[in-house]
Structure formats: C-alpha cells, structure tokens
Amino acid sequence: MSKLSDSLKALISAPRARPGVIPAPPRIESVYRRIQQEATSKNVGLPSWLALTTGATMTMNSPDSMITLYKLASSSQSRPRAVEVAELMREIGLKCISFNGVPRTINMLNAFRASLPSEVASSLSTTPTRTPNTENISSIRERGRVLWDSIYRGFETKLVNKLAEAHPDLPVHILNSEYGSLLSDPPRSTGATVGRITTSIVAVACLRAQTGVGPQVISHVFGLRKAAEDGTWKDDVENEESVKWLASDDGNKWILEKVDELVETLGEGTGSSYAPGMKPRDSKL
C-alpha cells in the first residue's frame, strides 16, 4: 500500500481545516449541572435532559465533555445504574447519526467508550438489535412509517412526495434506514430504549446546535408537540405533567435556550463547531 507523503499528511491535519475535536471547557460541568437542576425542578426526568445535553455535545464534537456529562449523570449511582446511564447515552449518540452523520458519531462513541470506567465499559451490551433480516424487515418499515406519521402528522404524505421529487430514493432511505432502522426503537431485551419524546429532543438538540437548518428545527419542535398530543410518549419514562411542559412554549424555549448555552460554552464564544468553515489562511501584507 502506498504511503501518504509528509506534505499531504500535513495538509490533511492543517489547523485551518479544524481536523480535531473540541476540548472540555473549564465551565462545562457547571453548565451541565445547572441544566440537570433546572430539569429536576420542573419534574423532567434524566432521559430528557440527558438527550438534550448528549445531543448537543455530540454535535459539538467534544468527547471530553461527553465523559464529564456521564460522570455527572451517573454520580452516586450503583454500578447497574451507572451502566444504564452509559447505555442510554450511547443509544442517544447512535441516533445522532440521523442528524450529524456517521463520522462524528463514530469518533464520539469510540472516545466515550474508551473513557468509561472499565467495570462499566465491560458491562455494556454487545448484542446488536437493528440487524435486518427476512423476518423483521416489514416491521422495521412499519416502525419507521409510524414514527414518521407521528412527527409529521398532517403533512406526512405531502413531505414524502416532496422528498421523492428531490430524488426518488430520498424518502426510501429516510423512511427505512433513518426512521425505521435507527430513530424508531427496536424491540429489545438488552441495551437502552430512548423513547418517542426523547428522540424528538435529540433531534431538536442536534439540529439547533448545528445551525443552518431552521426548517428542520421547526419540524422536530412540532414533532415533540405531536408526541404529547397523540399519546406515543406513553411508553416513555416521563410523566404526563412533564411531557405537557416539554411540549409547551415554555418547555420548547427551555430546550432551545439550553442547547444555545451549551453551544456557547463548548464553542467558547465562537459558535457551533459543526460547520464553521475553514479558518482563513494567515496573510502577509
């Protein structure tokens, strides 16, 4: 196999291309803790505030911050409970593929597992739950369509047709691979189940932290509200009071504002790291 020249490797790793991750800022633990405390005061459960914080942190590409978040969420917990928190965070991280793409998710989840305490990492499930086969392929498609129809109720068919106009395989991929295989929760006896409300919070957090995708943020804010309206949240761990609050104007604003606060803190005032563009070359006058 041919080797890359030193000059090519240097170009790939040039600082102006922003090739690395974001370190954990000194204040990030206090920001996470404040979000946790605000959620608790509003009777919002751990899955919801952890979906918000994990989704935004995954989008901002800060693995050190991710482990800081894990330590906060699992502090004073028993070992089985600490494993459950790690399972939930990596399941949330997996769903981020639909919003952030595969490469960032690979890097973040690999770094996350490597940073976990050995007794927790060794207890994580190693059984895949999304492998398609002749027996489950129809149910995967059905799950995807049910979730799609719940999120986009009132516009579900119109949107599929619009996607097909852009490319005939676009709705095929989105409905089957994203909504069916990934965003909908498969039947399982291992790992963590994210839930309907929490999946919408992940979507809003990732898309808000990205910037540049306002229409999709609006769609998934409505998707969160529709989960509260159509009862698809009832298999989640949240109670009805907190679901109604999360789906209200105040709850929606809280989610968006907390994501903005995380972006500001993780980016140390420079904004989102998702697509900031190349740094300008140093110029000499």
Side-chain angles (χ1 to χ4, degrees), residues 201-216:
I201 295 174
V202 174
V204 173
C206 289
L207 296 168
R208 178 70 171 191
Q210 277 184 34
T211 72
V213 286
Q216 283 73 29

Side-chain angles (χ1 to χ4, degrees), residues 33-190:
R33 185 176 298 278
R34 186 162 59 251
I35 293 172
Q36 177 194 41
Q37 292 169 344
E38 290 179 12
T40 301
S41 72
K42 301 175 189 304
N43 202 28
V44 170
L46 180 141
S48 293
W49 72 260
L50 202 55
L52 187 164
T53 48
T54 300
T57 304
M58 291 281 296
T59 306
M60 289 296 288
N61 202 27
S62 183
D64 287 347
S65 298
M66 185 94 155
I67 202 65
T68 298
L69 175 60
Y70 168 75
K71 289 177 180 178
L72 172 66
S74 63
S75 62
S76 303
Q77 302 283 358
S78 65
R79 176 176 165 182
R81 182 58 179 154
V83 173
E84 289 177 5
V85 171
E87 290 277 22
L88 179 60
M89 288 182 69
R90 71 172 186 168
E91 185 70 14
I92 291 168
L94 187 73
K95 292 196 178 194
C96 290
I97 289 174
S98 291
F99 312 108
N100 298 338
V102 173
R104 188 163 292 214
T105 300
I106 289 174
N107 295 343
M108 285 289 293
L109 288 185
N110 275 336
F112 179 63
R113 189 187 189 286
S115 298
L116 289 171
S118 59
E119 66 274 15
V120 171
S122 64
S123 299
L124 295 175
S125 172
T126 58
T127 303
T129 59
R130 289 179 168 86
T131 305
N133 55 52
T134 55
E135 295 179 354
N136 68 14
I137 193 68
S138 294
S139 64
I140 291 173
R141 294 178 63 185
E142 290 168 6
R143 286 203 317 268
R145 189 64 204 226
V146 167
L147 179 58
W148 174 272
D149 288 353
S150 174
I151 291 173
Y152 300 105
R153 178 163 43 85
F155 303 93
E156 62 271 32
T157 301
K158 180 180 179 181
L159 286 173
V160 168
N161 294 337
K162 186 175 180 63
L163 291 172
E165 289 175 356
H167 192 292
D169 283 328
L170 190 56
V172 175
H173 172 76
I174 290 174
L175 283 169
N176 294 293
S177 299
E178 302 296 339
Y179 280 76
S181 293
L182 183 55
L183 292 177
S184 65
D185 294 309
R188 52 152 61 99
S189 58
T190 184

